[in-house]
Amino acid sequence: MNSTIKFIPVLLAIISSCSNDGPEHGCFQEEARDVVATITEVKGTIDGVSCDKFIIEPDNKNESRPLGLYDPCNLSSEFEIDGTKVVFSGFVYESFENEDICADFFEITEIRFINP
């Protein structure tokens, strides 16, 4: 009986750590968009002119993405400064053929300023 009591907390820890949910997404869920790429630690520049909203332009374009620019759904106001250099990570979401967009749908998971 004593060994069973010791086993229960271990079993609960294993079960709670085994989740197939993956990373939690906060944007575009109501539009049923799938994540098509994960971006990690990419350097870029905030652009507040090109799309009439704030987007992120990576220093090195990824040819696998159709537009190469990212339209973040969750860019905080402290980063809404044209020309700001940043390092960012996040999820790229699919776009549909009938959409006219100027940047790929993007959800930031991490962003920070690059010190000049």
Side-chain angles (χ1 to χ4, degrees):
M1 178 78 113
N2 193 16
S3 62
T4 304
I5 293 173
K6 290 179 182 177
F7 179 72
I8 291 174
V10 173
L11 181 62
L12 289 175
I14 291 171
I15 291 171
S16 66
S17 67
C18 294
S19 174
N20 292 334
D21 296 337
E24 199 164 311
H25 305 287
C27 297
F28 310 113
Q29 302 312 293
E30 66 280 354
E31 299 168 20
R33 295 183 190 276
D34 291 328
V35 172
V36 295
T38 301
I39 306 297
T40 306
E41 295 288 310
V42 174
K43 291 181 182 180
T45 304
I46 303 294
D47 179 343
V49 179
S50 296
C51 288
D52 294 328
K53 57 184 162 184
F54 289 96
I55 61 169
I56 304 173
E57 182 174 358
D59 291 351
N60 297 312
K61 298 269 199 270
N62 181 341
E63 298 303 319
S64 69
R65 297 278 30 98
L67 301 172
L69 303 172
Y70 301 108
D71 180 7
C73 62
N74 58 342
L75 182 66
S76 69
S77 59
E78 71 181 298
F79 291 97
E80 291 181 349
I81 303 166
D82 188 52
T84 300
K85 298 287 188 182
V86 294
V87 174
F88 63 99
S89 300
F91 304 114
V92 180
Y93 287 83
E94 70 180 329
S95 57
F96 304 122
E97 289 183 28
N98 61 342
E99 295 178 305
D100 183 22
I101 60 173
C102 70
D104 293 312
F105 295 105
F106 188 69
E107 179 180 0
I108 296 168
T109 55
E110 183 180 350
I111 189 169
R112 66 183 183 277
F113 294 107
I114 297 176
N115 295 330

